Structures are given as structure tokens and as C-alpha cells.
């Protein structure tokens, strides 16, 4: 046995390798799919994230039976925690779902791919720049896409605003209506406490060219995370005005709020 294989077998034990192999492969002629997802090169990232999921954040995922096992799908969740840990954990829950694994694609902020190593690792695992053209094309390929409509308004908010949903963008609803795609609401509880921020150091963020620089402990804290997956929502028919789109978005937002409240009410320990 080569040294490389021995190291891989040590880091990625057989049960994890089996889970990784069970994730459906997205369409593409080569090892990578058209958007850069590469199962063979993501094994290390998968192993690290699985250990974070199981052992560090001790994720409790509820409602996974509600996730459709095939077909186009928009997974819409609240965003928090300064770093995209919520996206990684939702992706891990979907890709190891005992009711049927899916290969989730997460829409990420444009600056993440510019971060050395992190950008490549996220891309190999299925993350894609949050662009409506990318999203539209992936839905045409029946993809499962994770979207955070709050964007940096949610991820970069201070701890004082925890669990207060910020304004949702409406792009995801336009795509859902255009591509006749069900929406799966998700309430995330716990990521707010992984990196509590006292505020945004704007001069430093501007200097580094990033949306925000949190005044916080530099590493994620081991908060317990709960993911509550709701039942799919469908919005059919054409809309005559942007007000109707906003009304649909508010419906999704209310479902996510309810799922967050369930998680907070059931939580017995933050850490």
C-alpha cells in the first residue's frame, strides 16, 4: 500500500468513503461537473467537514425526510456566523441524508473563491458563486441548490441581532417561479454562537477588500447546531407585480422563522 493511500484511508475511514461514494454525481463529461464539483478531489474536505459536523458542532438535523430525493430544488435558509459554516453543515446533512443523498450546490459570496485554498476546496465540494445565471443553469440540470437570501446582511450581522432575519433578496423566488422549482425552508440554530461578533471593523474590511471584518474570536466556537428542514413549498402561476414576488418571499421567511423558533425552544444547551 502506498503512503498516500494509507494516509487517505486513515483520514477517510471506510464508512465515510462509502458515504462520499453514495453522493450522486452531477452531470459532466469529465471528473468535474460543469461548475467545478469534483468528488475525487473533495475527499479531504469531505472528511474534515464530516468530523466538524459530527464531533465539533454535534449537528442535529431534523426533517431530512422532507427533502425530495431527486429533481430541481431550492434550499432556502437563514444565514449567520460570519463564516459559511451553515452552508457546509446544510450541505453535509443533504449529502449524507439517510433518506436519499443529494449533491448540494451552495451559492457563496464572490470573495470566497479569492481566498487561497478555501476557494478551491469550496468549489470542489460544490460551492458556486451566487450568480442567477449559474443558478438558472443548474436548475435546468435538476440540481439541489442551497441559497441564503440574506447574503452578507445575515452572515455579517453582530451578535446583538442574532436570530433576527435580515431583508431577503427576491432573486431566488424569481428563479423558483421561472423554473417551477419547489422551495425547502431550513431554520439554522447554533451558527449565531459559533463566532459572536461585536461589530464590523470597516476600515480593515475595506483594506482587505472583503464585505466585513468581524470583531470576534478568530476561530469558530463549538456551538451545538440544529438544522430544521421544513416541508417543500410550491409557488405556481405567473405574477403580475414585484409586490406579489415579495409576498411569496415573506411566506418563505415566515416558515424559516417558525423553524428557527422550534430550534430555539428545543435547545437545551448552546455549547
Amino acid at each position: 500500500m502506498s503512503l498516500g493511500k494509507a494516509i487517505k484511508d486513515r483520514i477517510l475511514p471506510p464508512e465515510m468513503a462509502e458515504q462520499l461514494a453514495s453522493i450522486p454525481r452531477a452531470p459532466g463529461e469529465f471528473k468535474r461537473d460543469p461548475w467545478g464539483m469534483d468528488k475525487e478531489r473533495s475527499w479531504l474536505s469531505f472528511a474534515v467537514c464530516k468530523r466538524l459536523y459530527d464531533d465539533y458542532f454535534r449537528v442535529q438535523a431534523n426533517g431530512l425526510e422532507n427533502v425530495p430525493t431527486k429533481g430541481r430544488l431550492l434550499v432556502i435558509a437563514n444565514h449567520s456566523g460570519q463564516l459559511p459554516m451553515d452552508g457546509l453543515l446544510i450541505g453535509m446533512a443533504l449529502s449524507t441524508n439517510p433518506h436519499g443523498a443529494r449533491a448540494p450546490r451552495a451559492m457563496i459570496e464572490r470573495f470566497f473563491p479569492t481566498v487561497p485554498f478555501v476557494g478551491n476546496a469550496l468549489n470542489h465540494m460544490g460551492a458556486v458563486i451566487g450568480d442567477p445565471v449559474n443558478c438558472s443553469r443548474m436548475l435546468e440540470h435538476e440540481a439541489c441548490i442551497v441559497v441564503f437570501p440574506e447574503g452578507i446582511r445575515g452572515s455579517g450581522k453582530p451578535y446583538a441581532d442574532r436570530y433576527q432575519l435580515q431583508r431577503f433578496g427576491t432573486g431566488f423566488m424569481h428563479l423558483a417561479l421561472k423554473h417551477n422549482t419547489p422551495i425547502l425552508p431550513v431554520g439554522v440554530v447554533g451558527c449565531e454562537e459559533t463566532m459572536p461578533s461585536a461589530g464590523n471593523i470597516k476600515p480593515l474590511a475595506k483594506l482587505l477588500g472583503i464585505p466585513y471584518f468581524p470583531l470576534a474570536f478568530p476561530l469558530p466556537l463549538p456551538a451545538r447546531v440544529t438544522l430544521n428542514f421544513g416541508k417543500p413549498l410550491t409557488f405556481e402561476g405567473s405574477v403580475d407585480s414585484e409586490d406579489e414576488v415579495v409576498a411569496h418571499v415573506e411566506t418563505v421567511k415566515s416558515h424559516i422563522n417558525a423553524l428557527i423558533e422550534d430550534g430555539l425552544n428545543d435547545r437545551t444547551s448552546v455549547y
Side-chain angles (χ1 to χ4, degrees):
M1 178 184 295
S2 68
L3 178 60
K5 188 175 187 313
I7 293 174
K8 181 177 179 180
D9 289 346
R10 178 70 175 175
I11 296 175
L12 189 74
E15 62 274 17
M16 277 193 199
E18 190 174 330
Q19 286 179 318
L20 180 60
S22 71
I23 301 172
R25 186 172 180 276
E29 297 182 20
F30 306 101
K31 290 181 179 179
R32 297 182 183 184
D33 79 354
W35 295 276
M37 188 177 187
D38 187 338
K39 282 176 59 177
E40 292 187 15
R41 297 185 66 176
S42 66
W43 67 268
L44 180 58
S45 301
F46 179 86
V48 171
C49 290
K50 188 68 169 67
R51 292 185 189 283
L52 289 173
Y53 183 93
D54 289 337
D55 304 326
Y56 193 75
F57 295 116
R58 295 147 293 168
V59 176
Q60 174 70 45
N62 303 313
L64 282 170
E65 68 277 9
N66 295 326
V67 183
T69 56
K70 60 183 179 180
R72 60 190 66 176
L73 180 68
L74 284 169
V75 179
I76 306 298
N78 57 306
H79 208 9
S80 61
Q82 311 302 321
L83 295 175
M85 288 297 168
D86 41 14
L88 288 176
L89 299 178
I90 290 173
M92 187 56 63
L94 293 169
S95 60
T96 59
N97 185 358
H99 304 281
R102 298 208 60 167
R105 316 305 303 260
M107 298 280 99
I108 59 174
E109 303 298 335
R110 291 182 179 276
F111 78 93
F112 279 118
T114 67
V115 181
F117 305 109
V118 174
N120 286 342
L122 289 173
N123 194 222
H124 290 158
M125 292 187 70
V128 180
I129 290 177
D131 180 277
V133 175
N134 282 336
C135 195
S136 186
R137 288 177 178 168
M138 287 191 291
L139 289 176
E140 291 171 0
H141 284 82
E142 308 299 330
C144 168
I145 304 173
V146 182
V147 180
F148 298 98
E150 295 171 280
I152 61 172
R153 294 183 294 277
S155 60
K157 67 180 179 294
Y159 187 62
D161 294 338
R162 62 192 181 281
Y163 300 113
Q164 297 176 35
L165 291 180
Q166 306 300 300
R167 178 176 61 80
F168 274 32
T170 59
F172 78 93
M173 184 56 69
H174 283 284
L175 288 166
L177 292 168
K178 179 180 178 182
H179 295 281
N180 192 26
T181 302
I183 288 173
L184 190 79
V186 182
V188 181
V189 170
C191 282
E192 298 275 16
E193 287 81 11
T194 59
M195 191 173 281
S197 170
N200 178 16
I201 309 176
K202 293 182 179 179
L204 194 51
K206 184 177 181 181
L207 179 66
L208 296 174
I210 56 179
Y212 54 84
F213 193 99
L215 180 59
F217 188 71
L219 295 174
L221 300 174
R224 294 177 182 271
V225 174
T226 299
L227 306 176
N228 284 336
F229 290 81
K231 294 184 177 179
L233 306 171
T234 55
F235 298 89
E236 299 176 344
S238 60
V239 293
D240 297 324
S241 69
E242 189 65 16
D243 287 344
E244 291 183 59
V245 175
V246 172
H248 288 337
V249 169
E250 289 301 313
T251 299
V252 176
K253 201 171 175 180
S254 67
H255 277 79
I256 293 174
N257 246 331
L259 293 165
I260 292 172
E261 285 299 317
D262 288 345
L264 290 172
N265 291 333
D266 293 341
R267 184 163 69 171
T268 58
S269 173
V270 174
Y271 296 103

